[in-house]
Amino acid sequence: EVQLVESGGGLVQPGGSLRLSCAASGFTFRLYGMSWVRQAPGKGLEWVSAITGSGGSTTYADSVKGRFTISRDNAKNTLYLQMNSLKAEDTAVYYCASCPSGADCPRGQGTPVTVSS
């Protein structure tokens, strides 16, 4: 059974940073492209970033490009999202997903991020 457990969310001031983690189990992590998606209050799911199984290729939504960095540690079965220069519009619940699109595949329970002064 696929299990994904996100952590690292919280309250941060505009311009601040957070690092999200996603601990994966129940599948061969290194063989799967992974992604982060988010859902802001009252809005639909938004794809944020994806990474290949090897970690050699990454993609980002235009809204986070240059500010967020996705990475993974296949030895630890863990996915990361480093978020810098956070803005109020980054406020959302962040989910990791076990496929590059973030859609139609298992996601975790999410970790909330609030950017506010």
Side-chain angles (χ1 to χ4, degrees):
E1 178 187 0
V2 173
Q3 287 198 335
L4 301 166
V5 180
E6 302 94 337
S7 62
L11 173 64
V12 62
Q13 292 186 342
S17 298
L18 281 176
R19 188 194 197 201
L20 306 183
S21 299
C22 171
S25 62
F27 64 108
T28 308
F29 181 71
R30 61 182 172 82
L31 297 181
Y32 284 76
M34 299 288 292
S35 59
W36 288 96
V37 296
R38 67 185 181 184
Q39 187 164 25
K43 297 190 177 181
L45 210 59
E46 177 189 14
W47 176 85
V48 173
S49 180
I51 187 168
T52 55
S54 68
S57 181
T58 58
T59 51
Y60 298 92
D62 286 345
S63 58
V64 306
K65 199 172 295 183
R67 300 187 298 120
F68 290 12
T69 302
I70 190 171
S71 63
R72 64 192 298 159
D73 185 337
N74 286 344
K76 296 182 178 180
N77 285 359
T78 302
L79 179 72
Y80 302 101
L81 186 68
Q82 177 67 43
M83 307 187 295
N84 298 329
S85 302
L86 283 161
K87 307 175 181 180
E89 50 263 45
D90 294 319
T91 294
V93 178
Y94 285 72
Y95 303 88
C96 65
S98 56
C99 64
S101 71
D104 299 322
C105 65
R107 295 191 291 268
Q109 84 291 343
T111 186
V113 172
T114 302
V115 184
S116 174
S117 55

